[in-house]
Amino acid sequence: MHARIVSVAVLAVLLTLTSGCWVLDRAVDSALSSAAHTAGNRVGESVGNQVGNAAAAQTTAAMGPMYQQAMMGMVFAMAFNGGGYAMNQTTYKPGEWTRWNIPNKDEKTTVLERAYLFDDKEGNPWWKVKYQLPSKDGKDESLVVEALFDKTNYKLLRMRQKMPNETEGKEVPVSEQTYYAPPTKLTKQSLEGGLKGPASVTVPAGTFSAKHYEFSNSSGGAINYYLVDTVPGGTVKQVHVESGKETTYTMELAAFGSGSKSELGVAP
């Protein structure tokens, strides 16, 4: 059951980033409705519809918190795990933010924003991730997630979210076993081996003198990173190329700065 829930969550987030949040809504509704329908049928066949409906409701309620945790964990993983590797990035300072353009094949663009908001009274950091998704009808298609992490490890302590077209943030249940999987840190030798050299890179945020790194990926293609020390997080551009030289995924820095604020009502 747990594996199926996580798989549905991963699929839902991936579909959301490529097609918009209406896909996520349908995926969630479909997954929960299917589980409820199955439970209802099995019990209802033997003891009647009323008992079956009660069992279905319990199944749906039990899936809710686990689904939310899995989905929001994926939102953070996709925002910070650029190709799965930690490219010796420049750290963010409290209040600093970066905004990225992620072009899609249909010529629409997803905008990703990530920000280090502040530390709580115990020194644990609050982070914000925001996806502005392409919209079919001009409605607000932004997904905002703000999460508090343990300063000593990658344990998640608290989380709030605002789904598209919601007017305010809501609390997401967080269990004692919820951890964020950070990107893999490469060795010094691996970074030296992947360094292609200096490169001039022009992105929406400007033109930068960057260090260009290239590594192979599992498809036989390559992942390219362009790093600049003066930008929070260090990366100004990522390009994923599949075997055959087809670019499948690009992130370009659109803007960066300081003074980021919570959108979901959290405070130091």
Side-chain angles (χ1 to χ4, degrees):
M1 175 63 77
H2 288 244
R4 288 187 61 194
I5 293 170
V6 172
S7 297
V8 171
V10 173
L11 176 60
V13 174
L14 290 174
L15 289 174
T16 298
L17 295 179
T18 55
S19 305
C21 271
W22 58 87
V23 177
L24 172 60
D25 294 337
R26 291 174 184 173
V28 174
D29 291 342
S30 176
L32 297 182
S33 297
S34 176
H37 179 71
T38 300
N41 281 348
R42 289 179 179 176
V43 180
E45 287 174 358
S46 58
V47 297
N49 289 331
Q50 290 185 343
V51 177
N53 289 339
Q58 291 179 9
T59 300
T60 303
M63 287 182 66
M66 289 185 290
Y67 175 83
Q68 281 186 304
Q69 289 181 39
M71 186 183 74
M72 292 304 107
M74 279 300 302
V75 167
F76 263 90
M78 295 181 73
F80 284 89
N81 289 15
Y85 303 120
M87 292 300 299
N88 198 24
Q89 295 178 330
T90 304
T91 58
Y92 285 69
K93 297 176 182 178
E96 289 188 329
W97 56 271
T98 50
R99 187 175 300 128
W100 305 82
N101 290 344
I102 307 174
N104 299 327
K105 289 185 177 181
D106 58 4
E107 297 184 354
K108 295 182 179 180
T109 298
T110 295
V111 178
L112 163 64
E113 182 178 322
R114 59 193 186 200
Y116 180 5
L117 296 176
F118 51 80
D119 293 337
D120 71 0
K121 295 178 181 179
E122 298 178 356
N124 299 309
W126 272 100
W127 283 86
K128 176 175 72 175
V129 168
K130 181 176 183 178
Y131 287 97
Q132 182 67 44
L133 305 164
S135 173
K136 286 184 176 180
D137 50 15
K139 293 182 179 180
D140 178 16
E141 293 291 348
S142 62
L143 168 65
V144 183
V145 185
E146 296 179 359
L148 177 67
F149 295 91
D150 191 302
K151 63 183 177 181
T152 60
N153 54 38
Y154 295 99
K155 185 175 182 179
L156 183 63
L157 301 175
R158 186 183 168 194
M159 185 180 294
R160 291 180 64 79
Q161 70 178 29
K162 184 172 79 67
M163 300 297 283
N165 301 313
E166 289 185 336
T167 58
E168 61 182 6
K170 297 179 181 179
E171 202 73 14
V172 176
V174 175
S175 73
E176 289 287 345
Q177 290 75 40
T178 303
Y179 288 83
Y180 162 68
T184 301
K185 186 175 181 180
L186 299 181
T187 66
K188 175 184 176 181
Q189 292 81 357
S190 181
L191 287 169
E192 291 174 349
L195 180 62
K196 301 287 288 185
S200 178
V201 180
T202 299
V203 293
T207 298
F208 298 87
S209 178
K211 293 180 180 179
H212 177 200
Y213 293 83
E214 183 178 82
F215 295 93
S216 65
N217 62 20
S218 59
S219 69
I223 306 175
N224 292 270
Y225 301 90
Y226 298 86
L227 306 186
V228 176
D229 292 339
T230 57
V231 172
T235 306
V236 296
K237 187 174 182 178
Q238 295 178 32
V239 180
H240 296 233
V241 181
E242 295 301 314
S243 179
K245 305 299 182 181
E246 179 184 1
T247 299
T248 58
Y249 181 79
T250 301
M251 282 182 63
E252 296 183 330
L253 186 67
F256 64 97
S258 59
S260 183
K261 304 294 184 181
S262 168
E263 297 184 38
L264 305 183
V266 298

